[in-house]
Every structure is written in C-alpha cells, then in structure tokens.
Amino acid sequence: MNINEAPLGILFFVLFILFLLSAFFSGSETALMSLNRYKLKHQAEKGHAGAILAQKLLSKPDRLISLILLGNNFINILITQLATLLGLRLFGDAGLAIATGILTFLLLIFGEITPKTLAAMHPERIAFIASRFYVVMMKVMWPFVWLLNLITNNLLRLFGAHSDETSRVALSHEELRTVVSSAGTHIPQTHLDMLLRVMDLESTTVEDIMIPRSQLMGLDLDDDWNELEEQIIHSNFTRLLVYRENFDNVLGFVHLRKLLPMFRDGHLERERFEASIRPAYFIPDSTPLTQQLLNFKTENRRIALVVDEYGELLGLVALEDILEEIVGEFSTTPSSQSREIRQMEDGSYWVDGAMPIRDINRELGSRFASEEANTLNGLILEYLESIPVPGMTVLIDDYPLEIRKTRNNAVKTLIIHPKIQRIRAEDDE
C-alpha cells in the first residue's frame, strides 16, 4: 500500500506511537543522567538487576548518549515526515505551515518537557526499566553506535578533549559534608551529627581539644610522701600524671589499678610506686585528631602529652577527648565539669574562661574565631591586646562578654549575654 493512500486513522495511530517512542528516549535519557551514582552503586552491589544494567550503561556514557540520540533523532525525523504528509493531505499547501506549528508544540509538550520532567521526578523507576531495552538495543545498533563514537571522538581530540577521561571524580571533604547533611530523614539526626563530627576530625588538631597545662593535675614526687598517698586515695582519675617540681619535668603516668594492691598492707612504698610509672607519651600540637586516634591504637595508649615545636608542655589529650568530639560529651570528670556552660534565667551563659572556642560555637551557634587562641580566655586577650579586669564587657561577634573573675592574668569566669540583634538603618525619606 502506498503511504499517500493510507487511511488517516492508521497514520494518526502511527504518529501517536512515534510520539510515545520520542517521549521514551527523551525521558530515559534524563532519568539515566539524573541517577545518584553512589546510590546506584549501592543498589547494584545489593544485586538489583535494573541498577546493574544502568551502571553498566553509564560506565560508557559516550556510547549510551550516542545510542539514545540515534534512536531519538530517527524517531523525530519520522514524526516530521509523517506530520508533513498529514498536513498536506488535510490542508493542502497551507498544511506545511500548520503541521510545523502544531508539531513544534506537540513535540515540546509530549516529546520533551513532560517526559523529562517526569523522569527527573522519578529517575530510578524510569531508568531501571529503560536500561533493559537499551542493553538489547546496544547489541543490535552496535555498528552504528561504534561509527558515531569513532567520528565524535576524533572531533573531540581536535579540541583537546578525550572520551576516556573519566568524569567520576571523588568527592571533596566539603562536598561529602553536603551529601551527608542532605541525607535528611533517611538517617537519624544524632547519626548525622556524629558523621559530620567524624569528618571534622581531620581539620581539628589535638591542640584544639586538649586540657591546657594550667588545668593539669598530678603528683609531685618532691611532695611529702604521706600527702602523696592522700592524693592517690582521693583521686578522681584512673591515671595520674607524675612529675618532679613542675610540669617541665614529667616522669609519666601511674594507673590506680596497679597501685591499689600496694595498699594491701596499709602503706604504699615509694620504690614500688616509682617502678610502676609508665613513661609519658608526647605528641606535637599540630597532630590531626584522625591521625592521633590511629596513633593511640598503634601505641596502645589512652593519654598523651601535647608539646609545641620547642618541646614545651602545652596540655594533655586523652582518647576519651577524641571520642567526645564524635559522640558528644559523656565524661563526668572534674576537668570536664569545670568547662561546662550554665544557662541562666535571663538567657545568658555562665562560662569558664578555659572553655574551648569550638565547644562554645557548638553550644551557642556562635562564630567566634581566632587564628591563635583556642579558648575564650585567649580570644579575649587577643581581641583586647591587654589583660582584662573584672567588670569589663567586651563585644565580640555581637555577643557581650562580661568578665566576672580573673586569676593569674587570665579570665577565669565570664558571662556571655544574648547576641545583640543589629538593625540596619534605613532612610525613610
């Protein structure tokens, strides 16, 4: 049968089928390219058949694009020819213009916008079904796809591009943070917070979380021996720092578990006590927390002393301190209690000056920042460039910081008042 003599009903039916095929190619292309590659990899590893086929197709995106465009353009050309024929048969010579206008509108609505929008909304559902057809089509159309790729790849080389260059670049630290933060209700908020804190360990050093030297407690072997025994008996710590005269002469640590049997006879012998001292473990202040976590495991240690580039003791960091950076504070030791924030009825906070800036920002949502200081005391000293006195109030990051007590040229306690809301002055004239 001559196509020019075919019934109009059959021609319209064929045109309808071609529109469906055009919508399939357009929508499936958008669906496949919109797939989350990491989620797709996870589904493929679990054995999802559609995900496996989609991952296989996307591993060679140039071939997949050639296949889709080959089919889509072929279908659209047939639609154009058939629409032109229908226009001539229905409206004569004027049918060319009429068919062009109607065809453009229908292709945009039903062949492009609608299927692509639907595919963007449900990429997996459409992509996994389409992948089954494309795998078969790839085998059938392989000679044409290979020829198209050969031509286009040679053209790309003329412009300095290569088709074998992978676009699957590993996520950066900040990009991964964005992915984790966007998990939404798929992951409990507590788990999200922990994941984000784990990622922050790499950019945090032991100096940021250490207990500063001024807050260290220990046993001075030069003290009276009876007094040392009392300190050991009433200690709140399981590991005790041991030194002579001052912290510049640290000997190491003793574990109460090893000392308790020595009290069995009612008295602790100095010789046996000194023999139980384990040498101190020193680390640089610039060590990232992720590295130090591994170092604790390798060295079979739980406590380390932090020193600067000159070997001067700066503070102490424990395995527990790093874990608290991940899961939040759970310690009830005196050292942690001294750094707690106490909220008062008027909305202000009573804070220890030795509290780390990072902990304050986490609790208050503030953005206190300093290139040198790690504590609130250091931040205030850096800002004032002088020693503050009780009763002084300093405005930092729009937070009034009221100094309440100082000791040894340092801020001991202060009150952080609610942030001042600045109102932009506008000209009403």
Side-chain angles (χ1 to χ4, degrees), residues 227-259:
E227 183 180 339
L228 285 178
E229 285 187 338
E230 288 296 319
Q231 292 183 43
I232 294 172
I233 293 173
H234 297 95
S235 174
N236 293 305
F237 302 95
T238 56
R239 291 173 176 82
L240 303 175
L241 180 65
V242 182
Y243 62 94
R244 286 190 183 277
E245 189 176 351
N246 56 55
F247 288 131
D248 291 325
N249 188 21
V250 174
L251 301 179
F253 292 89
V254 292
H255 200 299
L256 282 183
R257 184 180 59 189
K258 295 183 178 180
L259 299 181

Side-chain angles (χ1 to χ4, degrees), residues 3-127:
I3 190 172
N4 293 320
E5 299 175 354
L8 291 177
I10 294 179
L11 294 180
F12 276 111
F13 178 75
V14 172
L15 185 62
F16 174 74
I17 298 299
L18 292 176
F19 265 102
L20 291 180
L21 291 174
S22 178
F24 167 77
F25 283 113
S26 297
S28 59
E29 177 187 9
T30 300
L32 284 163
M33 297 305 167
S34 300
L35 288 174
N36 185 314
R37 302 303 172 89
Y38 299 97
K39 186 176 181 180
L40 177 65
K41 182 179 179 181
H42 173 69
Q43 292 175 311
E45 290 176 350
K46 291 178 64 176
H48 192 289
I52 295 174
L53 294 177
Q55 188 178 46
K56 180 180 178 181
L57 291 170
L58 289 170
S59 64
K60 297 291 184 180
D62 55 334
R63 298 178 183 177
L64 177 60
I65 292 174
S66 297
L67 177 64
I68 294 174
L69 293 181
L70 181 65
N72 200 19
N73 281 281
F74 177 72
I75 294 299
N76 287 342
I77 290 173
L78 290 180
I79 291 175
T80 303
Q81 296 296 324
L82 186 56
T84 301
L85 176 61
L86 286 171
L88 289 172
R89 290 184 60 178
L90 292 173
F91 305 104
D93 293 338
L96 291 176
I98 296 174
T100 301
I102 295 177
L103 182 63
T104 302
F105 176 79
L106 293 179
L107 276 177
L108 282 175
I109 298 299
F110 299 104
E112 296 291 335
I113 298 176
T114 301
K116 288 187 175 183
T117 302
L118 183 63
M121 295 170 59
H122 307 283
E124 294 180 6
R125 186 183 306 175
I126 296 175

Side-chain angles (χ1 to χ4, degrees), residues 143-215:
F144 301 99
V145 173
W146 175 84
L147 179 61
L148 287 175
N149 281 345
L150 179 65
I151 297 173
T152 54
N153 290 340
N154 286 325
L155 288 175
L156 289 173
R157 290 190 182 96
L158 295 177
F159 296 97
H162 300 276
S163 61
D164 56 351
E165 293 180 351
T166 178
S167 60
R168 298 182 295 276
V169 182
L171 292 176
S172 67
H173 182 272
E174 292 303 320
E175 290 171 338
L176 186 56
R177 278 186 62 90
T178 302
V179 172
V180 174
S181 300
S182 302
T185 57
H186 297 288
I187 302 178
Q189 187 60 45
T190 53
H191 294 182
L192 279 177
D193 293 339
M194 290 174 62
L195 287 172
L196 293 174
R197 288 174 180 174
V198 168
M199 296 174 61
D200 288 338
L201 293 184
E202 185 64 34
S203 58
T204 308
T205 64
V206 293
E207 185 182 15
D208 296 325
I209 69 166
M210 69 180 184
I211 299 174
R213 174 172 175 159
S214 60
Q215 294 184 12

Side-chain angles (χ1 to χ4, degrees), residues 32 49 56 240 253 287 301 309-310 350 362 373 401:
L32 284 163
K56 180 180 178 181
L240 303 175
F253 292 89
T287 307
R301 295 275 193 160
E309 58 182 314
Y310 303 106
W350 188 282
R362 185 176 298 167
L401 310 182

Side-chain angles (χ1 to χ4, degrees), residues 371-427:
E371 295 182 359
E372 300 294 336
N374 296 316
T375 64
L376 273 179
N377 170 61
L379 176 67
I380 294 172
L381 294 179
E382 182 182 272
Y383 182 83
L384 292 177
E385 297 182 349
S386 62
I387 306 300
V389 295
M392 177 184 293
T393 299
V394 184
L395 186 65
I396 302 179
D397 191 33
D398 292 338
Y399 283 93
L401 310 182
E402 181 183 350
I403 313 301
R404 298 305 300 266
K405 186 177 181 180
T406 60
R407 180 186 299 170
N408 298 328
N409 298 326
V411 177
K412 181 63 177 175
T413 56
L414 68 150
I415 295 178
I416 301 180
H417 293 281
K419 187 174 184 178
I420 296 175
Q421 301 296 329
R422 295 182 178 273
I423 301 177
R424 183 183 299 175
E426 298 182 356
D427 189 358

